[in-house]
Amino acid sequence: MLSDLPFTLSALRDAYAAGTRPEAVIAEVFARLDAANDPGIFLHADREAALAAARALGAPDGRPLWGIPFAVKDNIDVAGMPTTAACPEFAYAPEADAFVVARLRAAGAIVIGKTNLDQFATGLVGTRTPHPVPLNALDPAIVPGGSSGGSGVVVARGIVAFSLGTDTAGSGRVPAALNGIVGLKPTLGALSASGMVPACRTLDTISVFALTVADAWAVHSVAAAPDPEDAYSRAFPAQPLSPVPPRLTIAVPDAASLQTFGDRVQEAAFRATLTELRTRGVEIREIDFTPFYDVAAMLYEGAWVAERTAAVGARLTEAPETLHPVTRSIVEQGLALTAVDAFRGIYRLAELRRHCTAAMAGIDLLCVPTIPCFVTREQDAADPILHNSRLGTYTNFVNLLDMCGLAVPCGTREDGRPASVTLLGRAGQDGLLAGVAGLVEAGPLGATGWHRPAAPVPAPEPVPGEVAVAVCG
Amino acid sequence: MLSDLPFTLSALRDAYAAGTRPEAVIAEVFARLDAANDPGIFLHADREAALAAARALGAPDGRPLWGIPFAVKDNIDVAGMPTTAACPEFAYAPEADAFVVARLRAAGAIVIGKTNLDQFATGLVGTRTPHPVPLNALDPAIVPGGSSGGSGVVVARGIVAFSLGTDTAGSGRVPAALNGIVGLKPTLGALSASGMVPACRTLDTISVFALTVADAWAVHSVAAAPDPEDAYSRAFPAQPLSPVPPRLTIAVPDAASLQTFGDRVQEAAFRATLTELRTRGVEIREIDFTPFYDVAAMLYEGAWVAERTAAVGARLTEAPETLHPVTRSIVEQGLALTAVDAFRGIYRLAELRRHCTAAMAGIDLLCVPTIPCFVTREQDAADPILHNSRLGTYTNFVNLLDMCGLAVPCGTREDGRPASVTLLGRAGQDGLLAGVAGLVEAGPLGATGWHRPAAPVPAPEPVPGEVAVAVCG
């Protein structure tokens, strides 16, 4: 039964190999979307275009994403669909696909539509939209997460196999934690930003949501390529999913600096994951996270707000009523900042980066809870800034420090909510993150109820003169 | 006769090996300074401290700069001497040497004093100082160059063996061209900025003036080291002076984009140097320099002025009368710039950098005239902005593009003025610049009349399967 088919890459490939037609998969996508009955997920979905794309694929031809349905956050261009950034008055009709979308389509993937977001990608709650708010896939009382809210929910519900989000402050990771899926935030510049509406242009990246690390990595591998048209594009050598090195040291916040805002269950879940990592032979080193929090504070309290102001442009002064009130209240703070403030912020970041670099001496990766606690729709409505800020505790500093991140589901908390940690690496270590994630990836696939496919853990490489300790899971 | 001793490293080392005492050299330094009769060179000189340092050296001990006298631009700290940045009201008494000064002193070098500069290092003429303007060492009708004016003149007159300048827009190169000496502007971060008064903190570097490339490189080799206290310090592998590669492609401005403001003699001198490079086996490739000029324009017309505003700080609004009027007129422009302007400038630079990178595809180095033309004191007085800007034609873009530069004397123009080109390389290619400079380095040693010592040109490395063409000079 197609209605039972898990939308993972491996299951879809098996179905196609067995003769299933992509047109049937697209029909099933829309059947699932109808069944979800959530008008907040997509701002634009095009069944006919998707069916036409499916028909045009012809016979399976071995392309890595042949027939794979995906969704695109509505601040990324898809030719033939409007781009709005959740600001209807901002809408334009892009002439071409964003660079990354074009690569995914060229690999055979099929766009279903454009997903809802916190307007202009400013937010981590997913509720700052003039449209209906997408419902959290696991618990409608909880915020869906943002800013890539629709892209997180649509994957967690199994409607598409993967989605594109964007990530400046955590928008590609927070929805993953809140919906029990994987969120890959690549190193800045690895995925071209051509055809993406900027939030903070020096800190933005497109991101990938999927049900499993293997799927997210497969999508990333197709999407990543140097783009001569994007001034912030960077060339990284082609990366296989790295094997777990035989000696691995991961730093985590020490007891004094771990922040969960009173969520003891979240703390317990995080410690359980660390225990699992230790069991797998990883050395866990507790460090003071203060320098990282100091960096995080700069993203909204410092000069970088002005990047959002620059991105919104004249709208802020000429048509402020077209902005979501919370978005507007944040972005207009940038109008008061001077160029001297901006450069002083840049200097301070350089100083703080030095402290963070020192804190990471001898460390391979960091591991943090993806979110410190859960936030209800009610809490968000009562204070739309405070709880949003809390959600960024472990994400806001990452792009400012030019690190890559991978939010990984790691089972279920004792209260039934999804557990998630984020592995963080230095620029270019994306492949290592994806490899190490296999040590902890566990639990339900979003809200789908599907069985998690076995993740192949790459074999550790023995160091000379030493016998590798086999790590199985 | 000590009065005839050239103050090059080799001549001083020979003299010390033959028994000369550093106290005698210091006495000679001050005799030469007295003879120069130019109160504009030093803002502070300390004969007794230098003599004490000379006495304290004891017997020669093999340290690389043992007994070598040098001068320090007065925006770099020397313990025991005030730092003023040519703004008397700004004066403070530093408790410690700047990182670089400490390294040079530890290697045996002796500080003579602090040299005059364009106030707060803002200028390329050397005349924007409330003190007497240092006289150009070769022709008092010509500006001395800046902002490191005193540091350029004091080396060109043979009063010290080398000096420290700083370079943000060309301050470490323009005085070299105007006084017939070598100006080494290292890759940003190679020399620590700890203990340096910032101009544009993201673009500043300490620089080295000397009579020969070999001397400048020897000083740089001692001064360069990672500094954990400087957020902008970068670690570069230890660099020997690189041999000239057997195949070398150097790009130069094409005929349409070479700017000399009508100075045909400068153009002829530049072309003569290119002919010399071709004779030595270098491939010269003419390229359109427009993208580089577009970058250059951003330094004073774009957001980076606000870095100077930030550096001057509250003085600009609270005590503007303490600033040089030209300096003030420039720096106060930064008060009008917003943080949005700053980030838009940063985005535009990223775009332009992309064009420059493309223009440099397949290119090893760039070669430009260090200055497009000469500027007289009279011209500068008549229009203190225009002629200053012209002097930055080939220097303003360099630090914004994270390139290193080496200004090299290459003989005498047909009208008797010094000829100078600047070799420019990508970040970290400083050693290659110093090696290649040997192909063109020629002519008088500043205003000294001393004989130029033979510069050892490193042997070219043969590529496999090929016989290297010997390049002798």
Side-chain angles (χ1 to χ4, degrees):
Chain A
M1 287 283 289
L2 206 53
S3 61
D4 295 334
L5 180 69
F7 278 0
T8 58
L9 295 198
S10 55
L12 279 163
R13 284 171 183 155
D14 288 349
Y16 287 137
T20 300
R21 278 298 307 167
E23 295 91 312
V25 168
I26 297 304
E28 176 60 20
V29 165
F30 282 90
R32 292 179 188 187
L33 179 58
D34 289 344
N37 191 29
D38 182 351
I41 296 176
F42 279 106
L43 299 185
H44 182 95
D46 192 334
R47 182 190 176 109
E48 293 315 311
L51 284 171
R55 275 191 298 273
L57 283 175
D61 57 13
R63 280 182 286 165
L65 299 176
W66 192 93
I68 307 296
F70 75 110
V72 179
K73 186 178 180 180
D74 194 25
N75 59 348
I76 302 170
D77 289 344
V78 175
M81 300 183 181
T83 301
T84 76
C87 177
E89 295 81 0
F90 174 76
Y92 63 89
E95 291 188 1
D97 286 341
F99 181 92
V100 163
V101 171
R103 287 186 65 84
L104 296 171
R105 283 177 137 174
I110 300 172
V111 178
I112 301 305
K114 306 292 293 288
T115 59
N116 203 351
L117 64 152
D118 286 313
Q119 193 178 69
F120 289 111
T122 294
L124 293 172
V125 283
T127 62
R128 296 169 176 176
T129 167
H131 306 285
V133 171
L135 300 180
N136 183 296
L138 297 165
D139 180 351
I142 297 291
V143 296
S147 63
S148 318
S151 280
V153 168
V154 75
V155 167
R157 285 186 176 275
I159 297 170
V160 294
F162 72 91
S163 65
L164 296 182
T166 63
D167 189 309
T168 305
S171 295
R173 291 162 277 161
V174 169
L178 289 166
N179 293 281
I181 62 172
V182 170
L184 171 59
K185 186 218 79 75
T187 299
L188 296 182
L191 299 187
S192 163
S194 290
M196 170 188 163
V197 179
C200 294
R201 199 172 153 198
T202 65
L203 304 175
D204 296 333
T205 178
I206 289 177
S207 68
V208 179
F209 294 106
L211 291 171
T212 69
V213 170
D215 284 5
W217 190 251
V219 172
H220 177 260
S221 301
V222 170
D227 173 8
E229 296 302 311
D230 173 13
Y232 289 94
S233 174
R234 294 195 281 183
F236 290 99
Q239 290 186 323
L241 193 143
S242 300
V244 180
R247 288 204 187 104
L248 187 70
T249 304
I250 296 183
V252 303
D254 61 18
S257 59
L258 185 72
Q259 294 190 4
T260 58
F261 303 100
D263 187 341
R264 308 293 291 266
V265 183
Q266 187 74 337
E267 183 171 344
F270 181 60
R271 298 214 179 280
T273 300
L274 300 186
T275 300
E276 180 69 15
L277 284 168
R278 282 196 189 92
T279 305
R280 305 294 191 104
V282 173
E283 184 191 339
I284 301 294
R285 196 175 301 172
E286 297 200 343
I287 64 173
D288 176 12
F289 248 57
T290 307
F292 298 94
Y293 299 141
D294 288 345
V295 171
M298 298 199 73
L299 195 61
Y300 285 100
E301 293 164 21
W304 281 267
V305 173
E307 291 208 79
R308 298 181 188 270
T309 313
V312 171
R315 174 174 310 281
L316 190 57
T317 45
E318 292 173 11
E321 72 285 356
T322 63
L323 292 171
H324 188 280
V326 178
T327 310
R328 176 182 169 186
S329 73
I330 293 165
V331 176
E332 68 188 4
Q333 294 170 37
L335 292 174
L337 294 165
T338 67
V340 169
D341 294 330
F343 280 107
R344 288 198 174 133
I346 288 167
Y347 305 153
R348 175 154 163 77
L349 174 60
E351 287 292 340
L352 292 174
R353 184 178 282 159
R354 184 166 74 84
H355 297 301
C356 293
T357 300
M360 287 176 66
I363 299 293
D364 296 302
L365 301 175
L366 303 182
C367 181
V368 293
T370 304
I371 51 175
C373 58
F374 285 76
V375 170
T376 64
R377 293 281 298 267
E378 196 180 339
Q379 286 174 311
D380 173 54
D383 189 334
I385 300 292
L386 175 70
H387 300 286
N388 187 92
S389 295
R390 286 183 173 177
L391 286 176
T393 302
Y394 297 109
T395 59
N396 281 341
F397 60 84
V398 174
N399 295 23
L400 283 164
L401 292 174
D402 195 15
M403 299 182 77
C404 51
L406 180 56
V408 198
C410 32
T412 303
R413 307 193 333 167
E414 60 191 51
D415 62 0
R417 296 203 187 284
S420 173
V421 301
T422 290
L423 296 166
L424 297 169
R426 297 176 180 88
Q429 285 191 307
D430 310 58
L432 179 61
L433 296 186
V436 172
L439 298 180
V440 294
E441 185 180 14
L445 299 182
T448 63
W450 299 330
H451 178 70
R452 178 175 291 279
V457 177
E461 283 179 310
V463 295
E466 209 176 271
V467 177
V469 177
V471 173
C472 310
Chain B
M1 288 283 288
L2 207 52
S3 62
D4 295 333
L5 180 69
F7 278 1
T8 58
L9 295 197
S10 55
L12 279 162
R13 284 172 184 155
D14 288 350
Y16 287 136
T20 300
R21 277 301 305 169
E23 296 91 314
V25 167
I26 297 304
E28 176 61 20
V29 165
F30 282 90
R32 293 180 187 187
L33 178 59
D34 289 345
N37 191 28
D38 182 351
I41 295 177
F42 278 107
L43 299 185
H44 182 96
D46 192 334
R47 182 190 177 109
E48 293 314 312
L51 284 170
R55 275 192 296 274
L57 283 176
D61 56 13
R63 281 184 284 165
L65 300 176
W66 192 92
I68 307 296
F70 74 111
V72 179
K73 186 177 180 179
D74 193 25
N75 59 347
I76 302 169
D77 290 344
V78 174
M81 300 185 181
T83 301
T84 76
C87 177
E89 295 80 3
F90 174 75
Y92 63 88
E95 291 190 0
D97 286 340
F99 182 90
V100 163
V101 171
R103 287 186 65 83
L104 297 171
R105 284 178 137 174
I110 300 171
V111 178
I112 302 304
K114 306 292 294 290
T115 58
N116 203 350
L117 63 151
D118 286 312
Q119 192 178 69
F120 288 112
T122 295
L124 294 172
V125 282
T127 62
R128 297 171 177 175
T129 167
H131 306 285
V133 171
L135 300 180
N136 183 297
L138 297 166
D139 179 351
I142 298 291
V143 296
S147 62
S148 318
S151 280
V153 168
V154 75
V155 167
R157 286 186 176 276
I159 297 170
V160 294
F162 72 92
S163 65
L164 296 182
T166 64
D167 188 310
T168 306
S171 295
R173 292 161 276 162
V174 168
L178 288 167
N179 293 281
I181 61 171
V182 170
L184 171 61
K185 186 217 79 75
T187 299
L188 297 181
L191 299 187
S192 163
S194 290
M196 171 190 163
V197 179
C200 295
R201 198 172 155 197
T202 66
L203 304 175
D204 295 333
T205 179
I206 289 178
S207 68
V208 179
F209 294 106
L211 291 171
T212 68
V213 171
D215 284 5
W217 190 251
V219 172
H220 176 260
S221 301
V222 170
D227 173 9
E229 296 301 312
D230 173 12
Y232 289 94
S233 174
R234 295 195 280 183
F236 291 99
Q239 291 185 323
L241 194 143
S242 301
V244 180
R247 288 203 187 105
L248 187 70
T249 304
I250 296 183
V252 302
D254 61 18
S257 60
L258 185 72
Q259 295 189 4
T260 57
F261 303 102
D263 187 341
R264 308 292 291 265
V265 182
Q266 186 73 337
E267 184 171 344
F270 182 59
R271 299 214 179 281
T273 301
L274 299 187
T275 299
E276 180 68 16
L277 284 168
R278 283 196 189 92
T279 305
R280 304 294 191 104
V282 173
E283 183 191 338
I284 300 294
R285 197 176 299 171
E286 297 200 341
I287 64 172
D288 176 12
F289 248 58
T290 307
F292 298 94
Y293 298 142
D294 289 345
V295 171
M298 298 198 74
L299 195 62
Y300 284 101
E301 294 165 20
W304 281 267
V305 173
E307 291 207 79
R308 297 182 189 270
T309 314
V312 171
R315 174 174 311 281
L316 190 57
T317 47
E318 292 173 10
E321 72 286 355
T322 62
L323 292 170
H324 188 278
V326 178
T327 310
R328 177 182 168 185
S329 73
I330 293 165
V331 176
E332 68 188 3
Q333 293 172 36
L335 292 174
L337 293 165
T338 68
V340 169
D341 295 330
F343 281 108
R344 288 198 175 134
I346 288 167
Y347 305 154
R348 175 155 162 77
L349 174 60
E351 287 292 340
L352 292 174
R353 184 177 281 161
R354 184 166 74 85
H355 296 302
C356 294
T357 301
M360 288 177 66
I363 300 293
D364 296 303
L365 301 174
L366 302 182
C367 180
V368 293
T370 304
I371 51 175
C373 57
F374 285 75
V375 169
T376 64
R377 293 282 297 267
E378 196 180 339
Q379 287 175 310
D380 174 52
D383 189 334
I385 300 292
L386 175 70
H387 300 285
N388 186 92
S389 296
R390 286 183 174 177
L391 286 177
T393 301
Y394 297 109
T395 58
N396 281 341
F397 60 84
V398 174
N399 295 23
L400 283 165
L401 292 175
D402 195 14
M403 299 181 78
C404 53
L406 180 57
V408 199
C410 32
T412 303
R413 307 194 331 167
E414 60 189 51
D415 62 358
R417 296 201 186 285
S420 172
V421 300
T422 290
L423 296 166
L424 298 169
R426 297 177 180 86
Q429 286 192 306
D430 310 58
L432 178 61
L433 296 186
V436 172
L439 298 180
V440 295
E441 186 179 13
L445 300 181
T448 63
W450 298 329
H451 177 71
R452 178 175 291 279
V457 176
E461 283 179 311
V463 295
E466 209 175 274
V467 177
V469 177
V471 173
C472 308

